[in-house]
Amino acid sequence: MTGTLYSFGHGYSAQELSRLLAPAGWRIIGTTRDPAQSITLRASGAEPVVWPGQQVDLDGVTHLLISTAPNAEGDPVLAALKDEITERAAQFKWVGYLSTTAVYGDHQGDWVDETTPATPTAQRGRWRVQAEQQWLTIPGLPTHIFRLAGIYGPGRGPFSKLKRVGMRRIIKPGQVFSRIHVADIAQVLAASMAAPNPGAIYNVCDDEPVPPQDVIAYAAELQGLPLPPAVPFDKADLTPMARSFYNENKRVRNDRIKDELGVKLLYPDYRVGLTSLMRAE
């Protein structure tokens, strides 16, 4: 299967998908706000479009991917192009919206799955729920929602953090986070594109939610670096954004991507993922 994918906000995860699809003969068009990123987009196999700015041409497009961040008004792609996308709904074979597990809010460490009601506590989660609904309610549009956990991969992860002056391990008893390697995001998206199920929602995360300090400790061990000092959460000097992440505590199930899409995770836990990154670097 091949087609033409128009990717709005062609960033870290979307570029990984284009590196997977382009060799198979897909045409990928990716938008960026920064003209300087055009070289990076081309390297991933995508044709760059500076947007907002250049005209969006959806003629011949078979698939849409939306990675743009919403705001208080909702999704910026729909703010600009909802009428055209609605008119062309039957043209698209698959539409993917990249959301976040922040839509679930805080569950005090309990497990959540795709049937768990969205009860976001943070502003970013509320905006995502609003954007999800905007896409899901367009008549006839084959929309799929992907709720991503914390993303890591080449160039993005704990290794660079360990080299920062003043790096610490923030300790909040009972706190866990789910995460996902960017290569596994790409394979989940590709699997969904091969077997569309309009209206489906998928959690995209690995098998093992763990305390963040465990990930930092393992990364330090792999690099032969000293273990960063531990700081209690209530005494840590964190930005409001960083603190908001610690205000949500949940374990996210990923059974649907396995059972429905047949995905076998390349990096089922952080140890496999970090070890692979360390070898690559």
Side-chain angles (χ1 to χ4, degrees):
M1 181 192 72
T2 60
T4 298
L5 172 67
Y6 208 108
S7 172
F8 289 94
H10 198 68
Y12 187 68
S13 299
Q15 288 171 29
E16 187 71 14
L17 176 63
S18 64
R19 281 188 284 268
L20 184 63
L21 297 181
W26 280 77
R27 181 189 180 197
I28 300 111
I29 305 163
T31 74
T32 177
R33 289 179 174 272
D34 182 4
Q37 290 297 312
S38 295
I39 296 175
T40 301
L41 268 62
R42 288 191 186 281
S44 76
E47 303 168 23
V49 172
V50 178
W51 184 83
Q54 294 178 257
Q55 183 178 356
V56 171
D57 182 2
L58 297 178
D59 286 350
V61 172
T62 57
H63 296 66
L64 296 178
L65 179 66
I66 298 87
S67 307
T68 50
N71 53 36
E73 284 70 47
D75 183 78
V77 175
L78 291 181
L81 299 167
K82 182 177 181 179
D83 289 346
E84 181 177 0
I85 289 172
T86 300
E87 291 173 1
R88 292 176 177 265
Q91 169 183 323
F92 305 116
K93 297 179 180 179
W94 178 94
V95 176
Y97 180 76
L98 301 191
S99 185
T100 170
T101 56
V103 301
Y104 295 115
D106 179 39
H107 288 265
Q108 299 180 340
D110 287 343
W111 287 95
V112 301
D113 62 22
E114 291 88 347
T115 66
T116 302
T119 55
T121 55
Q123 183 183 67
R124 70 184 187 282
R126 292 191 291 271
W127 288 354
R128 287 291 182 183
V129 171
Q130 180 184 13
E132 285 184 5
Q133 290 305 308
Q134 287 179 320
W135 282 98
L136 286 169
T137 54
I138 296 177
L141 194 69
T143 300
H144 305 71
I145 304 296
F146 301 90
R147 292 172 174 168
L148 310 183
I151 303 169
Y152 74 102
R156 181 182 294 190
F159 293 140
S160 59
K161 295 178 182 178
L162 285 169
K163 298 174 183 178
R164 297 176 187 169
V165 175
M167 176 63 187
R168 305 148 298 160
R169 289 175 298 131
I170 309 300
I171 309 297
K172 186 177 182 182
Q175 180 77 42
V176 296
F177 290 117
S178 293
R179 56 195 45 76
I180 186 69
H181 193 288
V182 68
D184 281 321
I185 296 174
Q187 72 150 331
V188 167
L189 295 175
S192 174
M193 294 166 76
N197 180 15
I201 297 174
Y202 301 99
N203 290 333
V204 186
C205 58
D206 68 18
D207 295 338
E208 189 178 352
V210 295
Q213 63 268 23
D214 291 6
V215 178
I216 294 296
Y218 189 69
E221 179 184 341
L222 286 175
Q223 290 197 314
L225 296 173
L227 191 64
V231 177
F233 172 74
D234 56 2
K235 295 182 179 179
D237 182 18
L238 298 173
T239 66
M241 175 63 78
R243 190 167 293 275
S244 73
F245 283 102
Y246 280 87
N247 289 336
E248 297 180 359
N249 184 14
K250 55 187 168 285
R251 292 172 166 84
V252 183
R253 295 192 186 280
N254 62 8
D255 301 86
R256 184 169 288 178
I257 60 173
K258 299 174 181 177
D259 298 340
E260 184 178 313
L261 298 178
V263 168
K264 182 178 181 180
L265 292 172
L266 301 169
Y267 305 100
D269 60 58
Y270 73 95
R271 291 177 295 274
V272 177
L274 293 185
T275 300
S276 176
L277 289 176
M278 184 65 185
R279 289 171 178 167
E281 293 180 5

